[in-house]
Amino acid sequence: MEKKGLNEIRKMFLDYFHLKGHLVRPSFPLVPQNDKSLLLINAGMAPLKSYFSGVEVPPSKRMATSQKCIRTGDIENVGRTARHATFFEMLGNFSFGDYFKEESILWAWEFVTEHLKMPVDKLWASIYLEDDEAFEIWKEKVGLPEEKIVRLGKEDNFWEIGLGPCGPCSEIYYDRGEKYGCANEACKPGCDCDRYIEFWNLVFTQFDKDEEGNYNLLPNPNIDTGMGLERVACIMQDVDSIFEIDTMKYILDNVCTITNKKYNEGDQQNISLRVITDHIRAVTFMVSDGILPSNEGRGYVLRRLLRRAARHGKTLGVEKSFLYLLVDTIIKVFGETYTELEEKQDYIKRVIQVEEERFQETIHQGLDILNQYIVELETAEKDTLQGQNAFKLYDTYGFPIDLTKEILEEKGLKIDIQGFEEEMSQQRQRARQARSGEDVVGWKEDVFTKLNKEIETEFKGYENLKATGKILAIVKDNEIVNEAGVEEEAIVILDETTFYSEGGGQVGDVGKVYNEIFEGNILDTKKGINNRVHHIVKITKGTLVVGDTVTVEVDENVRKNTARNHSATHILHKALKEIIGQHVQQAGSLVTPERLRFDFTHFEGLTLEEIAKIEEKVNQQIWNAAQIIVMETTPKEAKAMGAEALFGEKYGETVRVVKIGDYSTELCGGTHLKNSSEISMFLIVSEGGIASGVRRIEALTGIEAYKYVKNQQGVLEKAGELLKTPTNNIINRLETFISESKEKEREISKLKAKLATGNVDEIVAKAKTINGTKVIIEKVEVEGMEDLRKVGDTLKEKIQSGVILLASVSDGKVNFVATVTKDIVNKGVHAGSLVKEAAKITGGGGGGRPDMAQAGGKNSEKIQEALEKVESLLNNQLNG
């Protein structure tokens, strides 16, 4: 058997099935499209579910892909085993009602034996227990000996997810030899030992499971196969671990270089090196598909992987950010196949670097929290950190459990490992429950799937606003009907329309529909499956009947205003790249007749100067009166033109390019103007963050921008009246008012502080003595934390030795300050612990050093309760 590289195996597979009449499609993004049942694509067939279920018509009855996948269900095993990985590629050939078992098995056998040249004597097959048809094909058509065809039960060789399409499987195994076996003479595929590797699963989707549990034969059975590329590479390269195949070893070697560590010099070191190797590959692909770190959903998966890799870097002694340096390594290995990696190289590195730097800050927070836990343990004279606290450090702050254990041991303390493992187990269970059953949703049908698959709508709305079309279907109250009457609302599908359906951030068109005896208003237009356009119609006259011919007419003013905002987003995108950096990528948009919203990737807020420059740059392109040219071409030619593609967008063999002068060139299916001057005016009204690494600009164009300016002008004039000054002097007048106001506030604050410090003797006189220690616990009337600290310092000088805890209320907020003299700190009293307990009662938090600390709270009504709690704590500590 000839050794072959991973990239070579992928190409051989896709080339082979191309020759067998399959449409070879590039991998779908890791972010599912039009499928809310999945967080991330986790199998080769996942992006094709709508084709298997019959909801959508596939572009070809035969397809083949090498699909990027992410699975994190066994993340704790990654790095510890030879085969677990979070990112992997799944090779698959698919048939949608075309060929079936015989072709699937024969082609798989031919590819494995004649192209990959795996030795026949090393190959076995498994089939479903009751699948005699597959048995006969393997035995009679392939010629595999009967003893090498293993029948397995439903758990192993029957594929189903809840209800819907399902069927038996046949798997191909490779025999690695007796040295990997269990010494059992009956050992064969299905055994738990490591001798037989299953590497290709052929799923024969021939049944439709109904709600009563019946398996009904599908009229057009499907084929879905999955072959793990990394697993095949292990076989072809005769290695035991996926980390030893050519692509992974190249990444691993670079991890070793950057961390200055060697592979195979200790189990724990190996685990860390493998985790970093796997996770940086997964993270790089996820970011390239538009996923950004966050605290929920797929963004949380990305953040968790990245921080887990960074943690393992720390265990190897790497204290600074380093993961982003490995991105170049990933791209060198995979960039030729996945060109999006090269296109987004700088962007990917920047996202990873920023997240790494944030993690550095977070882990320092974790260290502060751990130190607080240690103080609390020592104060309470306990020696074991609770498992839930250790888990919080791990899960919230990314603090490695081993590091927690090591620091505690230095202090003579222990950790409740069992409690920690219980928390980890509960988290895994929550994750499993969140995933379980979700996939079933992806197979559910709605009323539109029951329509004839041949029903399609031809869109003719780029050049025309008016068209005549035939009514092909009407849906009312979620049912397919033949007609709808006055005052009813229905979804109407025509054979032709000029109405643009909502997509690409642009809202759907509105307008009217009519004929000689019927009238209605089209309130919105949505995109349906199988190239259908759904017109949401409110009927105002007559009856709408399937088969009738009607005229549809788009509201020209609404369409024009929408086009203004859409063309402006293209110019804005380019301006952002020029002003703040080429790393900027569109992360979402909303284009309506009234306004535009543009989300983009950037890692800090824009300055007023940057916003002004961006606004000016966009308006300059408007004033240049650039011609807007729209053309259709191939993706390759569009790329050569420098056309900007959007993350996650699905592009076919023909793409639509929108070119605004020599300034902006983007792929886009939306409606646009003929000339940039028609935008008239562009005005940014807000800019802010909406997620980690994602900013949002909201802007107005045309008449809405003009209205906004007139309104602001009115506000200025009213402000001038109130300030009794001309509008051009408002700023000077306000600065004077603010300066005078601040001066008065300072005077008031000084007077209050003077009053408070003047009462020091009175406060000292109220001091209590607990076991020989002077204790002052008081609420005082001062403004702000600074004044409260001053009073505390004055009291400390006065009593020389003791404990002081003061509280005050300022602007509805509660402030606490605690001061403990050095001799009392030595008795075990901790200022940080005291204010933390007080703040907790008032709905806040805080902490600090043993001798000085401050905190804040929200509920001023609980101040007395908080002070009593502190006094109780001090009684226990000082009398203990």
Side-chain angles (χ1 to χ4, degrees), residues 287-299:
V287 175
S288 79
D289 278 347
I291 302 169
L292 287 166
S294 70
N295 288 327
E296 58 185 18
R298 58 184 68 96

Side-chain angles (χ1 to χ4, degrees), residues 484-660:
V486 175
E487 296 302 315
E488 291 185 322
E489 192 172 300
I491 297 172
V492 179
I493 300 173
L494 308 173
D495 62 346
E496 291 183 12
T497 188
T498 54
F499 278 66
Y500 180 84
S501 53
E502 181 179 346
Q506 179 176 327
V507 297
D509 279 332
V510 299
K512 54 188 179 181
V513 53
Y514 56 89
N515 59 22
E516 296 83 0
I517 58 172
F518 161 81
E519 289 179 10
N521 294 321
I522 298 179
L523 308 177
D524 201 356
T525 314
K526 302 286 187 182
K527 192 173 290 182
I529 59 173
N530 293 327
N531 298 317
R532 297 170 188 156
V533 174
H534 294 178
H535 306 79
I536 292 89
V537 177
K538 177 80 171 181
I539 301 163
T540 57
K541 175 186 173 183
T543 303
L544 196 60
V545 181
V546 172
D548 280 0
T549 298
V550 294
T551 298
V552 289
E553 192 172 337
V554 175
D555 186 314
E556 183 175 5
N557 190 49
V558 172
R559 166 74 79 87
K560 191 73 175 281
N561 285 335
T562 304
R564 283 191 176 95
N565 285 323
H566 203 156
S567 295
T569 63
H570 285 223
I571 300 174
L572 172 61
H573 191 188
K574 180 70 173 180
L576 284 164
K577 283 179 174 289
E578 289 187 345
I579 302 298
I580 63 174
Q582 291 299 314
H583 64 276
V584 167
Q585 298 292 334
Q586 182 171 340
S589 69
L590 174 66
V591 178
T592 76
E594 297 80 25
R595 65 191 175 101
L596 70 89
R597 189 179 75 203
F598 191 82
D599 300 340
F600 59 99
T601 54
H602 189 53
F603 308 97
E604 56 193 357
L606 301 187
T607 64
L608 292 176
E609 183 182 4
E610 285 172 330
I611 292 171
K613 283 182 178 179
I614 292 162
E615 192 175 80
E616 183 180 348
K617 179 75 76 171
V618 175
N619 279 303
Q620 187 62 57
Q621 294 306 314
I622 294 170
W623 303 329
N624 285 346
Q627 188 178 0
I628 299 177
I629 299 171
V630 179
M631 66 189 82
E632 289 191 347
T633 184
T634 64
K636 187 176 181 181
E637 289 172 346
K639 187 177 177 182
M641 292 165 57
E644 187 83 23
L646 301 184
F647 275 131
E649 283 293 315
K650 189 176 176 181
Y651 298 110
E653 295 180 11
T654 302
V655 293
R656 190 165 177 267
V657 178
V658 176
K659 199 172 188 313
I660 304 177

Side-chain angles (χ1 to χ4, degrees), residues 181-287:
C182 56
N184 186 337
E185 289 185 7
C187 180
K188 58 185 176 181
C191 181
D192 290 333
C193 72
D194 292 330
R195 177 170 177 173
Y196 297 94
I197 298 179
E198 177 271 309
F199 65 91
W200 200 345
N201 186 14
L202 316 176
V203 181
F204 312 128
T205 313
Q206 63 190 87
F207 298 114
D208 182 13
K209 185 179 179 182
D210 62 27
E211 293 181 353
E212 295 177 0
N214 300 313
Y215 292 91
N216 307 300
L217 281 171
L218 287 168
N220 296 304
N222 303 314
I223 288 294
D224 158 26
T225 84
M227 176 161 61
L229 180 54
E230 290 83 358
R231 189 170 289 191
V232 177
C234 281
I235 295 171
M236 298 301 297
Q237 296 174 28
D238 193 24
V239 294
D240 295 337
S241 166
I242 61 169
F243 296 96
E244 295 172 23
I245 61 177
D246 59 335
T247 51
M248 292 291 273
K249 187 176 185 304
Y250 182 77
I251 301 167
L252 180 64
D253 288 346
N254 278 272
V255 174
C256 290
T257 300
I258 287 176
T259 60
N260 198 28
K261 299 294 180 183
K262 290 184 178 180
Y263 194 54
N264 287 331
E265 286 192 354
D267 290 344
Q268 191 57 51
Q269 184 165 296
N270 277 359
I271 289 170
S272 292
L273 292 170
R274 289 195 291 259
V275 166
I276 295 167
T277 299
D278 170 83
H279 287 10
I280 188 56
R281 185 175 65 142
V283 164
T284 298
F285 274 96
M286 290 173 78
V287 175

Side-chain angles (χ1 to χ4, degrees), residues 80 268 271-273 275-276 307-317 322:
R80 298 181 181 276
Q268 191 57 51
I271 289 170
S272 292
L273 292 170
V275 166
I276 295 167
R307 292 190 170 189
R308 191 167 187 259
R311 281 206 317 269
H312 279 276
K314 284 192 174 295
T315 66
L316 297 176
F322 73 101

